[in-house]
Amino acid sequence: MNAGKLSDVRFAHWMKKSQETRNFGAWKKFPARDVCRCCDATACPTNLSVIRKVGLDIREGRTTAQDVTRAYLAKIRQTDEKVGSFITIQADDAIAQAMSIDEKICRGEDPGILTGVAFAIKDNICSSDSFTTSGSRLLEVHRSPHDSLVVSAIKAEGGIILGKTNLDEFGMGSTTENSAFGVTSNPWDMRRIPGGSSGGSASAVALKQCAAALGSDTGGSIRQPASFCGVVGLKPTYGLLSRHGLVAYASSFDTIGPVTTSVEDSAIVLTALCSRHDQLDSTLHHTNSSRFHDHLKNLEHFASKPLSGYRFAIIKETIGPGVQHDVVQRVLEAATKIERLGAAVDFVSCPTFHLGLPAYYILALSEASSNLSRYDCIRLGGKVWCFYFCSTRPSKLMSFT
C-alpha cells in the first residue's frame, strides 16, 4: 500500500500513524490457532474443517453420531448457563436423529454431506420439533407446523439439530441483549457482547457448543456477530437460499446463512442448503446445484503467492473518522498480509457511503412495520400477552376479549 497516492491528507495521516504503531504481536492476547480446533491436534489431515473431520470419523468407525452429539450436549450443559447461547435445547430429538444416522451407517448407507454434524439454529428459523420464539414472549409457545426449507436440507444431508439459539427480538438488534429470554455473552470475554442479532449462533460456534449454526442476516446480523466472536459468517447472495420458514423482518433484505469455524465448513454448509428447492419462495433464484467447497484449494497446494493477480479494495470512508483506531490498525494489518500473499490492495472512495445506513433504515423499518403487524394477539401472539394488552387499555376493550 502507498498512502502517498491518496489525495486525502487526513487518510494519509491515519495510514502513517497505523504503520508507526503496527505490531503483529498484539494478536497474542488471543488464543493461538496452531492447534486444530476440530481435533485438538497440531497436524490435522482435514485442516480446519470440523465437518469433514466429524463425517470422516463417523464413516470410518472411530466414533458414532451419538457420541458426537452427546459430547456437544455435555458442552452446552457445562457452559450455556453462563453464556446464554441457546433458548431451547432439543437433547432427546438430537439423540434420536443421531441414532438414525448410526443405523444408516451400519446399513452401508451414506447419510449425506453433513453426516453427524451438530447444528444450532437461530430461533427465528422454523422447525417443527421445537418452539420458534424469535426471541419474543409473543411467540413463546409458538410451534411451527413445518420445517423451514434450510432445516429440512440439514436433516436430509445427515445434520443433527441440537437446539435454537438466542437473538435480538425478531432479529432487530446488533448486540443480542434485546431478547425476551436473556442476554448472550461473548465467549471470549463475558463482559462483552457477541454482536447480533445472530449472537447466539456465533457464540455457540465459538464456544464449540456445536459444529455449525444457522443465522439470518438483514443488515449484518450474521457477519457482525461472526466478527465479534472470531468465527466465519456468510451472508449468501439474496435469493440463493429460500427464506421459506424464516420469521420475516425486512423481506427484501432477509437472508439465511451459515456460521462456522472455517471458510471450508461454510462452503460445505452452503452446498447442503442449496441442495433443496421449493416453489414457495418467489424470491428464490433457481440455479444448477453447485458444490461450493470443491472450488477451494488445500493449504498444501498453495503457491508462495496464492493471491497473485487478484486485486482488493478498501473503501476509505469505512475506516475514516469515527472508527476506533485499533480497528483501523487491524484492517490495515490484514491488507498488508494480503499484499504479502501476492495481491494488490487499492484504496477507493465512495462519497455517498454515509447515506447507506439511513437508506437502509427507511426501507428495513418500513418493511418491518408491515411484517410485524401480524403479531396482534388475534392472528398470532400468546394469550398471556393478549391479557396484558387488554389490562393496559380502557375497560371497554375487555368486552371484546
Side-chain angles (χ1 to χ4, degrees):
M1 295 179 295
N2 185 356
K5 294 181 181 179
L6 301 176
S7 59
D8 193 326
V9 177
R10 182 172 54 192
F11 184 75
H13 172 71
W14 277 59
M15 286 287 294
K16 182 179 179 181
K17 184 176 180 181
S18 177
Q19 290 171 349
E20 291 172 351
T21 59
R22 186 170 294 162
N23 176 16
F24 290 101
W27 289 102
K28 293 180 180 178
K29 63 184 179 180
F30 294 101
R33 295 297 179 88
D34 294 334
V35 177
C36 178
R37 296 183 65 169
C38 67
C39 61
D40 295 328
T42 56
C44 175
T46 54
N47 297 322
L48 298 176
S49 176
V50 177
I51 292 176
R52 285 192 187 276
K53 171 67 176 174
V54 169
L56 188 63
D57 285 350
I58 292 175
R59 289 185 180 94
E60 295 187 354
R62 288 190 289 270
T63 187
T64 66
Q66 294 179 67
D67 289 341
V68 171
T69 302
R70 288 194 175 95
Y72 279 115
L73 291 172
K75 182 71 171 182
I76 293 171
R77 286 193 294 269
Q78 294 168 6
T79 59
D80 202 57
E81 184 175 353
K82 182 181 293 186
V83 178
S85 301
F86 285 82
I87 293 178
T88 305
I89 301 171
Q90 304 165 224
D92 293 340
D93 288 338
I95 295 298
Q97 294 172 47
M99 290 177 63
S100 175
I101 290 170
D102 288 336
E103 290 171 0
K104 289 182 178 180
I105 295 291
C106 290
R107 294 195 298 267
E109 301 175 13
D110 185 0
I113 195 175
L114 301 176
T115 296
V117 177
F119 273 84
I121 308 296
K122 187 176 179 180
D123 204 19
N124 63 345
I125 301 173
C126 291
S127 58
S128 59
D129 48 8
S130 176
F131 296 116
T132 301
T133 71
S134 207
S136 174
R137 293 292 181 189
L138 280 169
L139 298 178
E140 185 174 12
V141 294
H142 171 67
R143 188 182 291 272
S144 173
H146 59 80
D147 286 332
S148 61
L149 193 73
V150 290
V151 169
S152 296
I154 288 173
K155 292 179 178 179
E157 291 293 338
I160 297 168
I161 309 299
L162 297 179
K164 309 294 282 293
T165 57
N166 201 15
L167 69 156
D168 292 295
E169 189 169 9
F170 290 111
M172 303 178 71
S174 57
T175 65
T176 317
E177 294 176 299
N178 303 308
S179 168
F181 302 96
V183 174
T184 299
S185 300
N186 191 311
W188 298 104
D189 186 343
M190 297 298 177
R191 301 168 299 173
R192 300 180 185 272
I193 61 171
S197 62
S198 304
S201 292
S203 175
V205 172
L207 198 55
K208 299 183 184 178
Q209 294 177 322
C210 58
L214 291 187
S216 65
D217 194 312
T218 305
S221 287
I222 290 176
R223 296 160 289 172
Q224 184 246 36
S227 175
F228 281 21
C229 292
V231 294
V232 177
L234 173 66
K235 179 182 181 180
T237 301
Y238 184 83
L240 180 63
L241 298 181
S242 174
R243 293 184 295 107
H244 178 60
L246 174 66
V247 177
Y249 167 11
S251 302
S252 64
F253 295 89
D254 294 342
T255 304
I256 297 172
V259 180
T260 64
T261 56
S262 69
V263 171
E264 183 177 10
D265 280 352
S266 284
I268 293 172
V269 174
L270 187 61
T271 297
L273 299 182
C274 288
S275 64
R276 295 173 69 87
H277 298 286
D278 66 41
Q279 304 298 324
L280 301 174
D281 187 345
S282 61
T283 62
L284 185 64
H285 179 59
H286 294 279
T287 59
N288 294 329
S289 59
S290 175
R291 292 174 60 87
F292 297 98
H293 55 290
D294 287 345
H295 302 290
L296 302 177
K297 292 182 179 179
N298 291 329
L299 293 177
E300 307 86 49
H301 299 157
F302 272 152
S304 59
K305 298 288 185 181
L307 297 182
S308 179
Y310 290 90
R311 184 174 297 276
F312 293 77
I314 297 177
I315 301 174
K316 290 192 294 182
E317 287 77 8
T318 64
I319 54 176
V323 182
Q324 188 176 8
H325 173 70
D326 288 346
V327 173
V328 175
Q329 183 177 341
R330 297 295 178 264
V331 171
L332 298 179
E333 287 175 359
T336 299
K337 291 182 179 180
I338 289 173
E339 285 188 324
R340 290 175 181 171
L341 295 173
V345 179
D346 293 333
F347 290 94
V348 298
S349 179
C350 181
T352 59
F353 187 84
H354 68 285
L355 299 175
L357 191 61
Y360 164 79
Y361 274 112
I362 290 172
L363 296 171
L365 297 186
S366 296
E367 294 184 23
S369 65
S370 175
N371 282 326
L372 299 184
S373 65
R374 70 195 68 174
Y375 304 111
D376 54 7
C377 298
I378 299 173
R379 289 169 290 183
L380 288 170
K383 294 182 179 179
V384 172
W385 282 92
C386 184
F387 288 128
Y388 172 78
F389 176 86
C390 293
S391 67
T392 59
R393 298 300 188 271
S395 58
K396 288 183 179 180
L397 288 177
M398 298 294 290
S399 61
F400 294 101
T401 60

